[in-house]
Amino acid sequence: MALRAWLDARRSWRAGHAPALLVIPLGLIVTVCVVDVLAPPHIHLGPLLVAAPAITVAFGGARTTAVMGALAVAAQVLIGVLRGVFDTANVQAQIAALIVVSAVCVTVCVLRDRREQQLHQVRSVAEAAQRVLLQPLPSRAGPLRIAGLYIPAEAEAELGGDLYAAARTTHHSTRLLIGDVRGSGLGAISKTALLLGAFRAAAHRQATLPRLAVHLDAAFRWDTSQWGSLTEQDTVEDFATAVLLDIPDHDPVVHLISCGHPPPVILRGNRLIPLVAEASHLPIGFGGAFGLADYHVQTFPFEAGDLLLLYTDGVIEARNTDGLFYPFTERAPQWTTDDPDTLLRHLQADLLAHVHAHLDDDAALVAVRRTASTPPPSDPAL
């Protein structure tokens, strides 16, 4: 993210976006010309003209830099003519050096722009992959208003080991998943894609949360172990923490299964209520010995006006330069009256300010507000 911010800031300084910056090299050229012509014969400021194309490289493209280089060369010629020293070896050498430096500056601009174009293409592919894998959450689901936020730790990364997803069921409820796959890089992205696909395929048709938890665990363990005999990898270390939730449309509660994940919180007025389950199960991938009876569903009140906040450990474990953790439980209630999107924007800005825009781990947040429930429809079909 730091690299992206730097690139965006640098683009905004280009001549096309901030033409006022052209005053710097132009002013330098004019100043050198005037002072050099009026100065005594033993004072020569012409060599300073080389700074004009060099400065332009910082904010201008290849064409702008070439124009500044040409103006600097023209200014050097003008100085030589007005002072009557154009034919001297010293002035000829200065002109030649200025031409060479200007050509080098233009070449640097061309190479840099090509590199930025490649980076832009890579970023576009990453953004497309993110939209496919980590699909945006629906803004509305029955009586719920939902928003999701993903903050990658690595510069230019769009997807890592954190994940979230939502699905509607046939019995008028919304199911949510938030999780954190161990590790980083392509391995974590692969496991993230696996869990998201398994959840989307089964969340709407598994009758209960325990059945859904068993399904996700089995899919995860199958994927990590199917090639174990060939690669001899230690699959015991492959796991994901997760929270599964089911929120009925017409019952002011939330049903929850925690698999080693940080507990969600409910913001009610200025109060923050952690939803700490009595039984925290093993992470996804470790539950091979578990059956349906081993997954216990915890139910908590979730009333109209309440805001449910899900998060990964990248939020609560974010440290600043002094080693202090982000005070999530203190900051979140400040924006409890905001809609989910606005609350997440506030939290994102506050979190990045706390860590000075440098996260050590990916972070994901999901905010869900319940509006007034409506009576159940007479027709059981959606």
Side-chain angles (χ1 to χ4, degrees), residues 209 244-246 253-258 275-281 295-301:
L209 281 184
L244 291 169
L245 304 101
D246 188 89
V253 296
V254 53
H255 305 297
L256 178 152
I257 289 180
S258 176
L275 305 186
V276 181
E278 294 179 357
S280 182
H281 305 95
Y295 284 101
H296 301 286
V297 178
Q298 190 81 19
T299 300
F300 298 92

Side-chain angles (χ1 to χ4, degrees), residues 27-77:
L28 176 64
I29 292 173
V30 173
T31 301
V32 170
C33 282
V34 173
V35 174
D36 207 330
V37 170
L38 299 179
H42 64 280
I43 296 178
H44 301 282
L45 299 181
L48 292 178
L49 289 171
V50 73
I55 292 174
T56 308
V57 171
F59 61 85
R63 292 182 180 179
T64 305
T65 302
V67 170
M68 285 301 164
L71 289 176
V73 172
Q76 184 67 71
V77 172

Side-chain angles (χ1 to χ4, degrees), residues 265-269 271-273 305-309 332-333 336 343:
V265 298
I266 284 183
L267 301 178
R268 182 174 295 155
R271 297 170 54 203
L272 186 145
I273 306 171
D306 289 352
L307 193 145
L308 176 65
L309 199 55
T336 184
L343 179 139

Side-chain angles (χ1 to χ4, degrees), residues 138-146 168 171-174 247-253 302-307 340 367-377 382:
S139 59
R140 301 169 63 95
L144 306 180
R145 302 297 176 266
I146 307 174
R168 289 288 289 171
H171 53 277
H172 304 287
S173 73
T174 300
I247 306 175
D249 289 354
H250 312 294
D251 192 6
V253 296
F302 184 37
E303 303 170 356
D306 289 352
L307 193 145
V368 183
R369 185 178 294 281
R370 180 187 282 277
T371 61
S373 299
T374 58
L382 285 176

Side-chain angles (χ1 to χ4, degrees), residues 228-244:
S229 59
L230 298 178
T231 61
E232 298 181 353
Q233 294 178 348
D234 184 7
T235 60
V236 175
E237 295 185 357
D238 292 329
F239 64 89
T241 65
V243 171
L244 291 169

